[in-house]
Amino acid sequence: MPLRDLPTESTAAAALLRTEELRHRRTLRRTPWQSAALACLAVGAVLSVLVPGPTGTDCYLWRATTQPVDGRGAALALPIAMLALVLADRLAADHFRYRQQVRGWGATGLAVITGTAWIGLTGQGRTGCSTSPAVIGVVTCGSLATAIAAVWAIRTQASRPVLPEVAEDSPDGPLNQSELREIFVRLTAQLDVPARRPIAPIVAGALAALLLLSTVLPWRELIDPVSIGPAGAEVGLARAQLWDLPYASAWALVVAACATATLAAATLTLVRPRALLPVLQTAAVATGCLTVTGVLTALLRLPARLSDGVGYRPGVGAWLGLGIGVLLLALGLALAVRRQSHGRALRVGALVVAGVVATAAGLVAPAAAAPQYEPRVVAGIPHPLLDLHGGQLVDRLGMRVAIGTSDPLDSIATRLDGTPGEWLLGRTGSEGSTVFEYRDGFALPRVSLSHGVTPPALLGVADDKLVMLAGGAAQKRWALLAVPLNLVAADVSLSHTNPDGTLYVTPGVDIYATGVGPALTHRNADHSIVVWGATSTWQIPANQLRVGMDLKQFLIAPGAGAAGNSVSSGPDGTTAWRNSETGLVLLRPGGQPQQVTGIAPAGCQLSSDMASSSLTVDSFAVDVRGDLWLGGSSPTAVLTPDGLLRRVPGPVTQVDSMEARPDGSLLLGVSPGGGDQVLEITDAAAAASSYPVLPEPEPRCDRRKAASGSTPYKVALLSGVPVADPPVTAEGVVGKAASGTNTELALDSRGRLVRLAVPSSAHAWAPDGQGGLWWTASGASGGEVAVHLAGGTATVLRDLAAPDQQGEVAAAAGDRLVRAIGGGLYDFYGPGREVSRVKVGGSLRQQGLVQLSSGDVAMVIDEQLLLVNRSGRSTKLFGGEATGWPVASTVPPDQWTTDGNWFTGPDGKIWGYDGRQLVRVDGPGRVTVVAGPTQGVPQAADDITVIGTALYFELGNDVVKLEPVL
């Protein structure tokens, strides 16, 4: 009986044929190596798209950019096309003819997309875009995918026969049940029906791969003011990948290592599932715990946003990593619960240990923020206020803030009312800066400033407005501005004016006051702001800053020389000001002004008496208890109310600026070896009296006893002496000369005292002691001329040939002039048109040349004061030591110092001024003290000019006139 006629045999044959058909279809649908390769290339293309281009090229494929990027759409579509080709091939598995067409058209599409991306990305003209890793990766993956798809399309599918022929004898009779069973077993044994592979390793491997992918996605996003401003949502959004975070390198490596280990375990589990499935469970649980704990810890460390929405938020990479971590943890626990076999307790214990270790690593490993900077604060000891390196601050999240001003204290501001808060000015370009709000170690951008070449000086914050001094360069406009902190950007360059002549600033910015530079500023401990310009000083209480205020109401001049100079005051009324280049004056409540610097001889060490110490004071500040702090090239010191000078502990030198704060602390702006640094002395006011007192001054330096002379003088303070241009050119011809920056006191044609501007082309100049002025300049014919301007009339003398003029110095007396031209050569002019030249050996000191009315000349040469006649014969008067005693001391004349200013006195003799007293040289080794502080002689004056019988002392912008009492 035939096989098909038996019911049991027919059913068995049908089942056998169906099984073979299924096996054949599985063979056709089985994913070959081309599908796996295309999937890998798709992943590579995605990673290439996510890689940012080089800095400054704008060649970004994933991140937002303000400029269009040609070819970005094709680059983004390339990995999608690869995955679509793999999926379409699987769907056409039962139709071989359609399957080949799908592969062929897929190869063509990949080629077109790759070419479009290449042409667009390389043809846009951006420097470095053609060599960007993103572009190279996209084009390489696309080219390889196109080649693989083309080979795949021409490949033929070789199928095996359904049932191989087996040579055997078949009986003609019907088969019994035993024979039928034997044939069925033999045929089914030939079928290769693979066992069902577990899906868990595939899911775990996919999750591990996605976790690796999340590390190159935006992990953290900074919402800056631009992103929430009128320009549109997320225009200024700054994204950072996990690998971009400076303090997350260890965390990123740990996450990548765990994800890679999980991926490897999943791959090996597909080969040996029974042996390696426990390893996969442990890896999944450890990776999940590490990722979840670390991501949550990183999110908790993000600072809170500001009231206007500025701040940080998690990116898509962080959320994706958190979700994948949860899924991996759930998958590992599910596999552990479902698996029933011996040794379960041991595996559960391993899972618990792995989870605990991974959780601890997620808590301890640095995730996305560095530890907050905590300085070692000791009351009275300077310590860095900010963690600055080379003048640059890096906050806990990697934000870099470069100090944007030459004075580092101008880049720091607090609230003007003393409440907590701190803002920093970070330079972002040659003419732009950004204001950051700094709190808890995080710097959040607030306002972008466009200020031109001169950066502003921050003063403080009041009513959510940042008060600053904008501009301030010489002969340029300056303004006190209040910039709202909720502005996106502000133009404070002061380079434009409105039609009505007022300064243009960004709408919303308030203008408190304006002026013409130069202008500098600092803050006082009494909640006031001091601004000083060329000739004026203003002190403005912080609570009186308002729009349209009148600066005349805030003019201050506590003493001679204060106008146009820095002034510092404390809440108790103690005031200090700079009255000259080297002088500093201190005034305590109910007392008299006290000169504390600029009167000690050169080379005097720091001592308990400040006036007897040689100090170079670059900055000073008065604190809340009346202590005067001093900084500069000398060691930092403080003068306490008991009159004793004390040295600040620690090697604190080169202090460029100081600020005494209302809370009693002190800020120091220093530049140690390049790069700005800000030091703070906590409780400086309370600790000042505990500093050790410096030793007693040396006898030659002691200035505690006031000098006194024999000539009484009448003192008058002259403020606002006008500046006038000479009525002749530099060659002495009637006309207008190009005026320079130097001025000399003189009398104009009407006999009024003026600051006469010296022509810019003048080589040397000197007052004549009668209200006139001498200067030398190049003549029109190429030679040298000497011009004497007196009473509005100029007299011109022709000079001798001087081919090698170096460091010209001049002195005059009436119609006589002497000029040093270098090399020991001196030209004598007058009387009349007489000109002669002599040579005197030795090195001439600056301001050490005196022309006497008798025709002789006094010179300070090699620490000696000499008297030289027109024939070159010299006579020593006194001196000889570099660090000698003051003139008129009881020591031998050879030990007297020649420091100070030497000039021709009203009586035609040699006079000297050492910053403290006036002396007259009567002969070799003989001097007379003319006057001292008790007779009204100003101290530490910048210059002295004799006009007739009067002496004029220049103190800053003020002039003190001394006339003898007849």
Side-chain angles (χ1 to χ4, degrees):
M1 181 179 182
L3 180 62
R4 63 179 177 277
D5 295 335
L6 293 176
T8 56
E9 294 176 353
S10 177
T11 303
L16 183 62
L17 293 175
R18 178 60 177 170
T19 302
E20 178 64 18
E21 181 182 2
L22 293 176
R23 185 189 67 81
H24 181 64
R25 289 187 177 184
R26 186 180 295 111
T27 302
L28 294 177
R29 291 177 179 175
R30 183 176 300 164
T31 302
W33 67 269
Q34 289 88 349
S35 297
L38 286 177
C40 293
L41 290 174
V43 174
V46 170
L47 295 178
S48 299
V49 168
L50 297 177
V51 173
T55 303
T57 62
D58 287 335
C59 186
Y60 295 98
L61 302 181
W62 171 261
R63 297 179 178 179
T65 178
T66 57
Q67 301 180 6
V69 180
D70 297 333
R72 181 164 60 180
L76 296 173
L78 184 60
I80 300 176
M82 295 180 190
L83 296 178
L85 177 58
V86 174
L87 180 60
D89 179 77
R90 295 282 294 177
L91 295 176
D94 293 341
H95 306 280
F96 182 74
R97 182 166 57 87
Y98 296 147
R99 195 177 193 184
Q100 297 298 99
Q101 293 179 2
V102 167
R103 294 173 178 176
W105 286 110
T108 304
L110 291 178
V112 173
I113 294 175
T114 303
T116 302
W118 168 255
I119 294 174
L121 294 173
T122 59
Q124 55 188 322
R126 289 181 172 86
T127 305
C129 196
S130 59
T131 59
S132 169
V135 177
I136 294 176
V138 168
V139 174
T140 301
C141 292
S143 302
L144 292 177
T146 301
I148 292 174
V151 174
W152 202 11
I154 61 176
R155 175 181 174 270
T156 58
Q157 182 72 31
S159 59
R160 294 181 297 172
V162 177
L163 290 175
E165 295 293 337
V166 180
E168 59 177 338
D169 296 332
S170 300
D172 294 335
L175 299 176
N176 55 28
Q177 199 70 15
S178 299
E179 294 173 339
L180 181 61
R181 184 180 298 108
E182 180 184 355
I183 294 174
F184 184 77
V185 171
R186 178 170 56 83
L187 293 177
T188 55
Q190 296 181 4
L191 298 178
D192 184 15
V193 182
R196 179 182 179 184
R197 296 186 177 182
I199 194 173
I202 299 177
V203 175
L207 291 177
L210 290 176
L211 182 59
L212 286 174
L213 178 63
S214 69
T215 61
V216 296
L217 293 175
W219 194 269
R220 189 188 68 205
E221 297 173 346
L222 171 62
I223 306 174
D224 62 13
V226 179
S227 64
I228 59 177
E234 297 194 359
V235 172
L237 199 63
R239 299 183 175 94
Q241 300 174 357
L242 183 60
W243 301 100
D244 295 336
L245 306 182
Y247 298 106
S249 57
W251 163 248
L253 290 175
V254 171
V255 170
C258 291
T260 304
T262 304
L263 181 60
T267 304
L268 296 176
T269 303
L270 293 175
V271 180
R272 300 185 62 184
R274 297 182 61 86
L276 297 178
L277 188 59
V279 177
L280 178 60
Q281 298 171 6
T282 306
V285 170
T287 304
C289 291
L290 176 69
T291 304
V292 172
T293 307
V295 172
L296 291 179
T297 303
L299 297 184
L300 292 176
R301 291 183 181 179
L302 290 180
R305 295 193 199 177
L306 302 178
S307 58
D308 56 359
V310 174
Y312 291 92
R313 71 181 183 188
V316 62
W319 292 121
L320 180 61
L322 180 61
I324 293 173
V326 172
L327 293 177
L328 282 174
L329 180 59
L331 177 62
L333 294 177
L335 292 177
V337 171
R338 290 183 56 188
R339 184 172 178 81
Q340 302 289 338
S341 61
H342 64 279
R344 179 183 179 186
L346 181 61
R347 284 191 293 273
V348 172
L351 289 179
V352 172
V353 172
V356 171
V357 173
T359 302
L363 292 174
V364 176
Q372 186 173 354
Y373 171 66
E374 295 291 346
R376 297 182 58 185
V377 178
V378 178
I381 305 299
H383 65 271
L385 175 67
L386 303 172
D387 188 20
L388 294 177
H389 298 280
Q392 189 175 79
L393 168 73
V394 180
D395 76 345
R396 299 177 60 190
L397 294 179
M399 176 67 72
R400 296 183 178 271
V401 181
I403 295 300
T405 54
S406 57
D407 181 0
L409 297 188
D410 287 342
S411 295
I412 301 176
T414 57
R415 295 189 185 274
L416 293 176
D417 58 3
T419 56
E422 196 166 23
W423 287 261
L424 304 176
L425 181 68
R427 199 69 175 263
T428 55
S430 59
E431 298 185 359
S433 299
T434 300
V435 177
F436 295 84
E437 184 167 343
Y438 187 69
R439 61 181 184 180
D440 300 329
F442 300 102
L444 299 176
R446 295 304 304 265
V447 185
S448 177
L449 300 178
S450 175
H451 49 67
V453 179
T454 304
L458 303 187
L459 297 176
V461 174
D463 300 328
D464 288 333
K465 293 183 178 180
L466 181 63
V467 182
M468 64 180 66
L469 175 67
Q475 306 303 320
K476 300 292 184 180
R477 299 288 296 273
W478 61 265
L480 284 175
L481 305 177
V483 180
L485 291 174
N486 57 4
L487 273 183
V488 175
D491 182 2
V492 296
S493 62
L494 309 181
S495 57
H496 306 285
T497 56
N498 296 314
D500 58 355
T502 59
L503 290 173
Y504 169 80
V505 291
T506 302
V509 177
D510 296 332
I511 300 178
Y512 289 162
T514 61
V516 178
L520 298 171
T521 182
H522 68 78
R523 298 174 286 265
N524 280 342
D526 58 357
H527 294 282
S528 66
I529 295 171
V530 175
V531 180
W532 67 95
T535 59
S536 303
T537 300
W538 303 271
Q539 186 172 5
I540 309 169
N543 57 4
Q544 297 187 30
L545 290 167
R546 62 186 183 275
V547 178
M549 64 181 184
D550 186 7
L551 286 178
K552 294 181 181 179
Q553 301 177 1
F554 305 101
L555 282 170
I556 59 170
N565 274 319
S566 175
V567 177
S568 179
S569 59
D572 64 347
T574 302
T575 304
W577 69 91
R578 191 184 298 277
N579 67 338
S580 63
E581 293 183 1
T582 60
L584 194 65
V585 181
L586 178 65
L587 176 62
R588 297 195 182 275
Q592 296 295 323
Q594 176 188 2
Q595 190 77 35
V596 292
T597 63
I599 59 177
C604 293
Q605 301 297 322
L606 291 182
S607 64
S608 59
D609 181 52
M610 184 173 175
S612 304
S613 306
S614 297
L615 281 173
T616 302
V617 179
D618 296 328
S619 58
F620 62 95
V622 177
D623 65 18
V624 294
R625 295 193 178 184
D627 302 309
L628 176 60
W629 298 80
L630 308 163
S633 58
S634 303
T636 304
V638 56
L639 180 65
T640 50
D642 57 7
L644 299 177
L645 187 65
R646 305 168 187 266
R647 182 169 178 174
V648 177
V652 184
T653 57
Q654 300 299 329
V655 177
D656 302 324
S657 56
M658 282 185 174
E659 176 188 341
R661 290 189 165 184
D663 60 358
S665 62
L666 183 74
L667 295 186
L668 309 175
V670 299
S671 301
D676 296 322
Q677 183 64 265
V678 178
L679 303 180
E680 181 186 29
I681 303 179
T682 306
D683 296 334
S689 59
S690 64
Y691 293 156
V693 179
L694 289 165
E696 287 289 312
E698 303 175 32
R700 75 174 189 89
C701 301
D702 198 341
R703 286 291 188 267
R704 288 175 291 188
K705 182 179 179 180
S708 179
S710 58
T711 305
Y713 281 94
K714 181 174 62 176
V715 182
L717 178 62
L718 307 179
S719 300
V721 177
V723 178
D725 294 327
V728 295
T729 64
E731 293 80 15
V733 181
V734 176
K736 182 175 178 57
S739 300
T741 58
N742 297 295
T743 61
E744 289 287 346
L745 293 177
L747 300 178
D748 62 6
S749 58
R750 298 180 182 181
R752 297 176 304 178
L753 183 67
V754 297
R755 294 182 184 271
L756 189 64
V758 179
S760 59
S761 58
H763 299 160
W765 57 91
D768 64 358
Q770 303 296 327
L773 183 67
W774 282 87
W775 71 77
T776 61
S778 299
S781 59
E784 288 285 312
V785 295
V787 179
H788 182 202
L789 179 65
T793 304
T795 302
V796 181
L797 299 181
R798 295 294 172 181
D799 191 9
L800 299 174
D804 187 18
Q805 298 177 350
Q806 301 175 355
E808 294 187 23
V809 180
D815 59 352
R816 296 177 181 271
L817 172 72
V818 61
R819 182 183 61 153
I821 60 176
L825 298 178
Y826 299 86
D827 287 344
F828 289 73
Y829 298 85
R833 297 186 175 277
E834 182 181 352
V835 180
S836 61
R837 175 174 297 170
V838 298
K839 184 173 183 179
V840 180
S843 176
L844 178 69
R845 177 185 296 176
Q846 191 76 12
Q847 295 183 340
L849 189 62
V850 181
Q851 173 69 65
L852 302 178
S853 56
S854 62
D856 295 338
V857 175
M859 306 177 183
V860 179
I861 295 180
D862 298 333
E863 308 299 336
Q864 296 180 359
L865 181 62
L866 306 179
L867 185 63
V868 182
N869 59 20
R870 295 186 71 120
S871 63
R873 182 180 177 182
S874 62
T875 302
K876 179 182 176 181
L877 298 177
F878 58 81
E881 293 189 9
T883 57
W885 288 65
V887 177
S889 299
T890 57
V891 297
D894 290 342
Q895 299 181 19
W896 291 350
T897 181
T898 54
D899 293 340
N901 294 337
W902 298 96
F903 56 95
T904 302
D907 56 2
K909 295 184 178 181
I910 305 172
W911 284 38
Y913 173 71
D914 62 356
R916 184 168 174 259
Q917 62 185 3
L918 289 171
V919 297
R920 181 181 63 244
V921 180
D922 299 324
R926 294 182 293 111
V927 297
T928 300
V929 177
V930 179
T934 56
Q935 283 76 42
V937 175
Q939 299 181 68
D942 292 324
D943 200 4
I944 304 175
T945 302
V946 177
I947 300 180
T949 59
L951 292 93
Y952 295 85
F953 295 79
E954 296 186 52
L955 296 171
N957 294 289
D958 295 332
V959 177
V960 178
K961 179 181 179 181
L962 265 65
E963 286 186 303
V965 178
L966 301 177

